[in-house]
Amino acid sequence: MQASEVRRAVAAAMSTASSLGLAVDDATVLHDSNKLTLRLLPCDVLARVAPVAQQVAQFEVELAQRLAASGCPVAALEPRVEPRVHERDGFVVTLWTHYEPVTPGKIPPADYAHALKRLHTGMRTLDVPTPHFTDRVEQAQQLVTNRDRTPELADADRELLGDTLRNLRRVIGERGGAEQLLHGEPHPGNVLTTRNGLLFIDLETCCRGPVEFDLAHAPEEVGDHYPGADQGLLRECRILVLAMITAWRWDRDDQLPNGRRLGTQWLSEIRAALG
């Protein structure tokens, strides 16, 4: 978010929590991307704030409730207030349990795989309308073909990304494997280490597809511990996901620190992976 939006988003979160009877004197920014994640004190609540026009908060709240009720390892909504989406000053605010992190450092791959397997098992019991994973691939394809959105992407790199996205989308689709509800982006940044074990957050990217698409976002060793994973399909999904996140890095509006450097590095990795 822009600095002016951050100030307004923080104020919206604090006033929302206060209006619900929670004690709020301070807010610490934990993460700033397409939405703002804050820790509100002294009530110790996690607030997620997004512009009204750029959010799927209602979907995320409803899905989190259903997954938690199914025993899935997901972060819980704040229990002291009604589980709903709040709108204030052009922002939507959702309130979640804040978990104090434990065991900092790399998550053991076996633990990561076990938690993701539990999440997938619970997700298979839900009938939720979501996009297909290929819809997200198409978004990346559109970005690559739009020179106005990706003006710094060289022609040879544009061709590489476009061909990779198109070909792997087709190859994976032609496999005809089992598909189900997925997290969409279960990378380490969306996994919390808590006293309650590993918990997944940020459910707004949920989609349908093979579990290998989710596994492709996790560290490579995790796939070795996930029961029944198709290693050939997983390799294809890893390259596909790498091409997708590389495309995001060349978006003229991308604000990830060192985004262009990562985009250049990942282009080299794609070439190496494709031989």
Side-chain angles (χ1 to χ4, degrees), residues 12 30 36 48 52 62 68 81 112 150 169 182 215 235 251:
L30 301 181
L36 199 66
R48 303 186 73 193
V52 169
E62 293 174 359
V81 299
Y112 203 134
T150 54
R169 174 183 175 181
L182 303 174
L215 276 170
R235 178 183 179 277
D251 188 342

Side-chain angles (χ1 to χ4, degrees), residues 200-222:
F200 291 91
I201 61 172
D202 204 354
L203 301 169
E204 66 177 22
T205 55
C206 282
C207 58
R208 293 196 67 82
V211 295
E212 287 80 6
F213 182 77
D214 260 3
L215 276 170
H217 291 79
E220 193 165 342
E221 302 89 342
V222 175

Side-chain angles (χ1 to χ4, degrees), residues 87-107:
E87 187 171 332
R88 188 179 295 259
D89 192 24
F91 294 96
V92 291
V93 181
T94 52
L95 302 176
W96 303 78
T97 298
H98 176 263
Y99 297 91
E100 198 65 39
V102 297
T103 60
K106 184 178 179 181
I107 302 172

Side-chain angles (χ1 to χ4, degrees), residues 147-162:
R147 293 179 181 272
D148 290 336
R149 289 283 305 277
T150 54
E152 298 180 43
L153 187 60
D155 288 345
D157 297 333
R158 191 182 304 278
E159 182 178 4
L160 172 69
L161 284 178

